[in-house]
Amino acid sequence: MPTIFTRIINGELPGRFVWTDEVCVAFLSINPLATGHTLVIPRAEVDHWIDLDLDTNAHLMRVAHSIGVAQQQAFDPGRIGLIIAGFDVPHVHLHVVPINGMNDLDFANADLDPDAVALDAAADALRAALVAP
């Protein structure tokens, strides 16, 4: 059975995509830790990041870097955090999160009911920053 991420990638479920290529996609988290919290996900369903081939791993990090630079430009946080945990969905995903302190990376603080308009605005801001020179 496909993961929820595969279903989003395949268009069966909605997602606020900010990046797509032949190897991976990136879309906003539906339970963000902060404005602009983005997931970078390989198209291939692989459960654990250490099981990815090295080229895919490197590609995901390059995309996460691009997303992080865009987040810095769009939201001006103190730092950009990066988490690879993998306990909630058995499909590799990198959390790229604008943060101002370590407590901003605590999943207990995730917004379980984010405003759709705010999510759309964050996605628009990231897309704009990703194409900016």
Side-chain angles (χ1 to χ4, degrees):
M1 184 164 118
T3 68
I4 191 167
F5 292 154
T6 295
R7 295 183 66 208
I8 294 169
I9 291 166
N10 292 339
E12 298 169 27
L13 297 171
R16 289 174 176 85
F17 288 84
V18 298
W19 181 284
T20 60
D21 66 32
E22 65 284 348
V23 176
C24 71
V25 302
F27 51 78
L28 264 58
S29 173
I30 61 167
N31 298 124
L33 295 175
T35 300
H37 177 175
T38 302
L39 305 177
V40 178
I41 305 161
R43 290 181 181 275
E45 280 190 17
V46 176
D47 181 21
H48 198 312
W49 72 273
I50 64 172
D51 294 328
L52 288 170
D53 64 86
L54 293 178
D55 289 338
T56 300
N57 252 322
H59 184 80
L60 294 178
M61 288 303 291
R62 283 191 299 274
V63 171
H65 180 271
S66 294
I67 298 292
V69 169
Q71 289 172 332
Q72 188 70 51
Q73 180 181 339
F75 309 116
D76 196 30
R79 297 273 185 203
I80 302 297
L82 180 66
I83 300 172
I84 306 172
F87 288 103
D88 47 347
V89 178
H91 190 152
V92 173
H93 53 290
L94 285 63
H95 295 264
V96 188
V97 187
I99 61 173
N100 290 303
M102 288 300 294
N103 61 331
D104 292 341
L105 294 173
D106 185 346
F107 285 100
N109 298 326
D111 186 347
L112 302 180
D113 189 26
D115 179 70
V117 172
L119 288 174
D120 290 339
D124 289 343
L126 276 175
R127 284 188 213 104
L130 282 163
V131 297

